[in-house]
Amino acid sequence: MTAEVKTCMECGKALCDRVEEEERTGTGVSRSTGECATYRVWFCVNPDCVLFKTDIIREQMADRTDR
């Protein structure tokens, strides 16, 4: 399987990514069953780009695979 290369919409260079977690609570209108949501955040690392260090794409990842 080939992974799609994500590029900056401004400069066209490849983006880098990091993983972030957000804590979720079971109160209010939240229907989540887990304790946190995990996201892969893609950002531009080209210092000459106007979007340098700007988060461009945020994708939710599966919390757990053993359910």
Side-chain angles (χ1 to χ4, degrees):
M1 183 168 104
T2 305
E4 178 184 340
V5 175
K6 295 182 181 353
T7 58
C8 178
M9 60 190 151
E10 187 67 29
C11 68
K13 302 271 185 180
L15 299 176
C16 284
D17 67 310
R18 68 178 181 275
V19 175
E20 290 185 353
E21 288 186 354
E22 272 186 14
E23 187 175 340
R24 296 188 299 209
T25 61
T27 61
V29 296
S30 175
R31 295 185 207 158
S32 64
T33 57
E35 296 176 0
C36 66
T38 307
Y39 297 92
R40 183 173 307 274
V41 180
W42 298 86
F43 60 98
C44 184
V45 292
N46 178 5
D48 298 325
C49 181
V50 296
L51 296 178
F52 179 56
K53 292 189 178 178
T54 300
D55 295 350
I56 297 173
I57 301 170
R58 186 175 179 179
E59 301 172 330
Q60 186 163 9
M61 299 169 61
D63 291 333
R64 295 181 61 176
T65 58
D66 61 345
R67 291 186 198 184

